[in-house]
Amino acid sequence: MSCTTQKMRASITCQIIPPKILPPPASNQSPPARRPQPPQAISISTTTIPIPGIWTPEREHTDDAAAAFSDYQFLFVSQRSEAGAAVMLRAVDGEVPADFPRGTYYLAGPGMFKDDHGSTVHPLDGHGYLRAFAFGGGAEESGRVGFMARYIRTEAQEEEHDPVSGSWRFTHRGPFSVLKGGRKVGNTKVMKNVANTSVMQWGSRLLCLWEGGDPYEIEPRSLDTIGKFEVSGSLESPDGPVATAYAGSGSGIWDAAAGAVKPILYGVFKMPPKRMLSHYKVDPKRNRLLTVSCNAEDMLLPRCNFTFHEYDRDFKMVHKQEYTIPDHLMIHDWAFTDTHYIIFGNRIKVDPLGSLSAVSGLSPMISALTVDPSKHTSPVYLLPRFPGDPDRCQGAKRDWSVPIEVPSQLWLIHFGNAFETLDEENGTVEIKFQAAVCSYDWFNFQQLFGIKFSLFPYYPFFFGSLMIDDAIDSTGYNWQSGRLDPSVMNVEEEDSKLLPHLIQASIHLDADGNCTKCGIEPLSSWRKSSDFPAINPAFSGNRNRYVYAGTSSGSRQMLPHFPFDSVVKLDISGNSARRWSTSRRKFIGEPIFVPREASGRGREDDGYILVVEYAVSVQRCYLVILDAQRIGEVDAVVARFEVPKHLNFPMGFHGFWAGEDMGI
């Protein structure tokens, strides 16, 4: 850049000189002819960039490149303040309706991205910051909303944060980050359990989850961290003993390979042997919590080990099932039906050069992996929940180790729901699932949330004196600049079909469990980029009519696809969509459905949608209550509550509604 930090502080804008950087060395391998050209990102290069923290009224409604860049940065600004005691929120629109149930909306997400020593981490590596919105904690609080927010006191958080001075020094680089300060080469502090991805309440326990380790238990009322919680236990159920099933040949070879890498992963890099996925499921029919764990070595080997657990309301394990699948997959979310677990396989492979760079500390650990687009189809594994009982589980009659290949190459991000329908007359089963998916041509580990990890800082001998920090700063986010590039998440209109969108898959099984038909189609007429599908939780695992999701209106020129600015309600049976949108320069997170009735089994859309609105232009957060039945109408907003500016928080990931009947 042509101005120093001191100059930037003295003025509202600064000039950016386009960098003159030599291209990286050409690869000797040409891409397969069948692969299309990568999607082209919408450029947001601009000659003026507003300094974060500077806002003027005349820019509040601006839709230009500078505003787009600035707004995106504000979505991931660190929040150092906590609210250990409830702060009553001010209603700026409407009020809590009389029939809104009592309970607490918990929202998990990162809160700290930049330390006091020059290091910035990827949003996925940001320390967990739990937000809680409490509705009607007592008769005197009826109609009011109390807000609390606390950091999860994980082992990494306690090491990296000094509670006396309030300062932060990152020592764990995390799977997606490289530290600017501290030791990079040989830094084996990788698995930074930040408990920032999702939150759930089951029985009397409140847990914050992360993708790579044990969840942390939180005291529900104070949000104090109790400590790690091992989600395991002895089997106490008529479901029978634990069953382990293996598939494929050559297991001895991969057992030997696993034995070779385990000491490195477990010993050197301190990875836990089992990593519990951050996405869990609740089976309302059996009143059970369902979780799944994978082995740490699965990330490096062409096989996956899945351990499914089911718990009753007292957190006693009542069912356990283990499967080993001969495929190299990355799983973030999964689904279940009455008789099946559903794994949609996102195919990956090891990147040898990336692995060397990652292990040496020169690039994030995720650089060791890349997507594997070698096949045109996507594997779906239908794993029987009760394989020892063919009469109880249709899937027990088929070879579950052979995936059903969906005739599309898709990367699944999040499931919305799954269910099955049994034709008792002829014994056939139809399984359907709804999900948010994207194309392999768009998904890239290195560019999640707008990251561009350049090779330039790591190989200056290729580029000599041209290797300067200011040039790198203007090319996107990297560990030195700490900036996110929103153009990575937004592509040209002709490539928008590659972005996250909502689909429904249908799989037909005959009486012997063999697949006779498999198809995939758009979930509805809605075609805009969408993710975070949600339903009325009482219908989880059952046929549902409505799906709610975060989506984009497409009205913003520079950020047409992401971040989302709308909630869409899809009527699957009617193939229709209705939408509520925020105003200009405001974005939203994940929508959550809250039933009016405690059971939730009244009319499916009889309830409310909770969603956080991020007004980045004025640096405010609002909790918005929408009437689920009136989405698409002018009076959809029931109430909007403002979070005090000093507690304004960055974008969250996943939330959970804990009704008063759930023990809190």
Side-chain angles (χ1 to χ4, degrees), residues 71 75 556 559 563-565 582 586-588 612-614 616:
D71 289 354
L75 282 175
R556 188 158 181 180
L559 299 175
F564 297 141
D565 61 6
T582 64
K586 294 181 180 179
F587 306 107
I588 65 155
V612 173
E613 180 183 73
Y614 302 89
V616 289

Side-chain angles (χ1 to χ4, degrees), residues 172-471:
H172 296 69
R173 51 187 173 125
F176 291 87
S177 308
V178 175
L179 303 183
K180 184 174 183 180
R183 185 163 61 100
K184 287 181 284 294
V185 177
N187 184 353
T188 60
K189 291 185 175 181
V190 176
M191 296 311 289
K192 182 178 182 176
N193 188 337
V194 286
N196 70 2
T197 310
S198 63
V199 57
M200 71 172 177
Q201 187 268 322
W202 188 249
S204 61
R205 298 185 184 275
L206 178 66
L207 305 177
C208 286
L209 296 84
W210 181 60
E211 203 77 313
D214 291 329
Y216 274 78
E217 184 176 1
I218 308 300
E219 202 289 312
R221 299 189 183 277
S222 66
L223 301 190
D224 288 337
T225 301
I226 297 174
K228 280 187 178 180
F229 181 76
E230 294 186 9
V231 186
S232 60
S234 60
L235 188 64
E236 300 179 14
S237 171
D239 283 357
V242 175
T244 302
Y246 295 90
S249 59
S251 60
I253 297 175
W254 299 122
D255 285 342
V261 301
K262 283 179 181 180
I264 300 174
L265 298 179
Y266 301 171
V268 178
F269 290 100
K270 308 299 183 185
M271 295 184 182
K274 290 282 187 180
R275 60 182 192 93
M276 177 177 166
L277 297 191
S278 57
H279 281 279
Y280 53 87
K281 306 298 171 182
V282 174
D283 183 346
K285 179 180 178 180
R286 291 183 171 88
N287 198 20
R288 292 182 180 181
L289 170 70
L290 282 56
T291 68
V292 62
S293 299
C294 301
N295 291 1
E297 65 272 15
D298 292 348
M299 301 298 291
L300 302 177
L301 301 177
R303 75 173 189 186
C304 293
N305 299 273
F306 296 104
T307 303
F308 296 89
H309 295 90
E310 301 190 15
Y311 302 89
D312 66 13
R313 276 291 182 183
D314 295 324
F315 240 117
K316 292 181 179 178
M317 186 174 68
V318 295
H319 186 67
K320 181 178 179 180
Q321 187 67 40
E322 297 180 344
Y323 289 98
T324 299
I325 294 174
D327 212 343
H328 203 179
L329 310 173
M330 174 170 282
I331 305 302
H332 173 62
D333 199 2
W334 56 287
F336 78 97
T337 67
D338 195 42
T339 62
H340 291 85
Y341 304 118
I342 301 178
I343 297 294
F344 189 101
N346 298 323
R347 288 190 170 108
I348 59 173
K349 60 183 178 180
V350 174
D351 183 334
L353 293 179
S355 298
L356 293 175
S357 178
V359 172
S360 66
L362 298 177
S363 67
M365 287 300 292
I366 198 64
S367 302
L369 302 174
T370 185
V371 299
D372 181 4
S374 60
K375 295 184 179 180
H376 293 284
T377 58
S378 300
V380 177
Y381 287 91
L382 298 180
L383 307 177
R385 284 176 71 176
F386 313 104
D389 188 352
D391 294 330
R392 189 180 181 188
C393 184
Q394 184 78 9
K397 300 178 181 180
R398 65 181 301 272
D399 183 358
W400 55 264
S401 66
V402 178
I404 295 171
E405 297 288 345
V406 174
S408 298
Q409 188 187 70
L410 301 172
W411 184 279
L412 189 141
I413 308 173
H414 293 114
F415 275 98
N417 191 29
F419 57 90
E420 61 187 43
T421 304
L422 172 65
D423 187 331
E424 296 183 357
E425 183 176 347
N426 54 31
T428 61
V429 174
E430 181 184 28
I431 295 177
K432 290 189 176 183
F433 62 83
Q434 302 143 3
V437 300
C438 64
S439 168
Y440 275 51
D441 294 309
W442 177 80
F443 187 87
N444 188 309
F445 290 123
Q446 304 299 321
Q447 298 182 6
L448 290 173
F449 289 101
I451 275 194
K452 291 183 179 179
F453 281 105
S454 173
L455 288 177
F456 300 143
Y458 311 133
Y459 304 103
F461 49 87
F462 284 156
F463 308 103
S465 61
L466 291 176
M467 198 43 261
I468 57 176
D469 287 351
D470 287 342

Side-chain angles (χ1 to χ4, degrees), residues 488-548:
V488 172
M489 303 293 286
N490 291 274
V491 298
E492 298 291 352
E493 187 64 31
E494 58 268 23
D495 294 316
S496 62
K497 62 182 178 299
L498 306 178
L499 295 171
H501 55 282
L502 302 175
I503 59 93
Q504 179 166 268
S506 300
I507 299 173
H508 296 260
L509 305 178
D510 63 18
D512 295 322
N514 299 312
C515 179
T516 58
K517 182 180 179 182
C518 178
I520 193 167
E521 61 184 1
L523 189 55
S524 78
S525 58
W526 187 254
R527 296 294 187 270
K528 297 288 186 180
S529 177
S530 307
D531 194 6
F532 303 123
I535 66 169
N536 182 331
F539 288 79
S540 182
N542 297 277
R543 180 181 295 275
N544 62 299
R545 175 177 177 179
Y546 299 108
V547 174
Y548 308 86

